[in-house]
Amino acid sequence: MNQPVIIGVTPLYDAEKDSLWMVPGYLDGIMQAGAVPIVLPLTHDVKQLRALFDCVDGILFTGGQDVNPACYGEKQTAMCGEICEERDRMEEVLLQLCRIKRKPAYGICRGIQFFNAILGGTLYQDLSQELPGEVEHHMAPPYDRAVHNVTVDEDSLLYRIIGKHVLGVNSYHHQGVREPAPCLTVSAWAPDGLPEAVEDRRHPFFLATQWHPEFFWEKDEPSRKLFDAFVKACRENRNALGSALECDIL
């Protein structure tokens, strides 16, 4: 009997209540794609994170607080919002493990910003001040609708997943990618030039989007395809590792 694909999901943290929480769409999007999501505890204990990492087939990096500007060599300004240093430390360990072990990683909203910052890129601390324009990057509810288009690079993993050159997306963020990290390729842009998706093309599946498929997947086929592709990559990676172990044993 085939074992289910297990996806580790980074937790959301409420500082005021000192509690962990989760947007159901992250979990539901994974489950509709045929995998089992597990919300991880908030810890930067490397030993514990390695044990948890070994139990999952991929990591979904969720939205949440702003990335600490120290992660990309800048001082925090008044424009930067709330940060969570524990999440930054935890997710850096998980991110590096994904890269070392070549397990699939998918980042959403904060996820794209975190990937970029940790891997050597920079961020806008506040788009309204640093990249003002007419593109709606911080939409009002409901979030299950498109508020602007993105242009997708046709020579990208993202395009192979979605199959569209122009895509309508939802958008709820005040920070964004400024200078892309050297190892990342921008695979989608907003009309104002802001990077909306990045990927590492040397990695089996290392992708992040600025928009929010967790709010949109029930209505939007491209959003479902993103979750489906992530789960498929996790399954294929797990199966490949299993085949390699069988060969070693034989």
Side-chain angles (χ1 to χ4, degrees), residues 14-243:
D14 185 326
E16 183 178 347
K17 297 179 180 178
D18 189 23
S19 64
L20 303 183
W21 65 287
M22 183 52 57
V23 172
Y26 290 120
L27 310 183
D28 294 342
I30 289 170
M31 288 190 292
Q32 67 83 32
V36 176
I38 301 294
V39 180
L40 301 175
L42 183 62
T43 178
H44 65 272
D45 184 291
V46 175
K47 185 176 181 180
Q48 291 180 346
L49 287 173
R50 284 177 174 167
L52 290 164
F53 183 82
D54 288 343
C55 295
V56 302
D57 301 303
I59 302 288
L60 175 65
F61 293 79
T62 58
Q65 287 92 345
D66 289 351
V67 178
N68 190 335
C71 293
Y72 49 97
E74 294 184 8
K75 293 183 179 180
Q76 185 175 357
T77 70
M79 300 179 294
C80 186
E82 177 185 299
I83 63 175
C84 179
E85 292 188 11
E86 186 79 351
R87 273 199 72 178
D88 290 341
R89 295 171 71 183
M90 168 184 174
E91 291 182 6
E92 182 172 7
V93 173
L94 293 173
L95 185 68
Q96 298 298 355
L97 285 172
C98 283
R99 296 182 66 75
I100 293 169
K101 301 295 186 180
R102 297 180 68 77
K103 281 188 180 180
Y106 177 36
I108 295 175
C109 193
R110 166 189 158 91
I112 187 176
Q113 298 160 16
F114 189 78
F115 284 17
N116 193 62
I118 292 300
L119 296 175
T122 62
L123 304 178
Y124 292 105
Q125 291 196 35
D126 185 77
L127 293 172
S128 67
Q129 299 294 316
E130 298 176 291
L131 191 68
E134 297 181 357
V135 178
E136 179 57 85
H137 288 296
H138 198 268
M139 68 188 291
Y143 302 121
D144 58 346
R145 59 193 175 93
V147 292
H148 70 76
N149 288 338
V150 299
T151 301
V152 179
D153 177 9
E154 294 185 7
D155 185 27
S156 68
L157 170 63
L158 180 63
Y159 182 82
R160 294 194 295 275
I161 292 169
I162 293 173
K164 291 187 175 183
H165 179 58
V166 178
L167 178 70
V169 301
N170 53 2
S171 189
Y172 185 72
H173 60 105
H174 85 106
Q175 297 198 319
V177 172
R178 184 195 292 264
E179 292 293 333
C183 64
L184 298 178
T185 300
V186 177
S187 50
W189 302 262
D192 58 5
L194 184 75
E196 289 274 339
V198 298
E199 57 192 59
D200 185 345
R201 296 181 178 177
R202 301 166 301 175
H203 193 282
F205 192 102
F206 193 88
L207 174 67
T209 58
Q210 185 62 74
W211 63 91
H212 290 269
E214 78 277 12
F215 289 125
F216 208 7
W217 67 266
E218 290 184 273
K219 292 183 176 180
D220 182 59
E221 184 179 14
S223 294
R224 288 194 299 276
K225 285 182 175 180
L226 282 165
F227 281 117
D228 291 346
F230 176 48
V231 169
K232 179 182 178 183
C234 291
R235 181 179 294 108
E236 290 175 347
N237 183 264
R238 199 259 310 273
N239 290 342
L241 289 174
S243 296

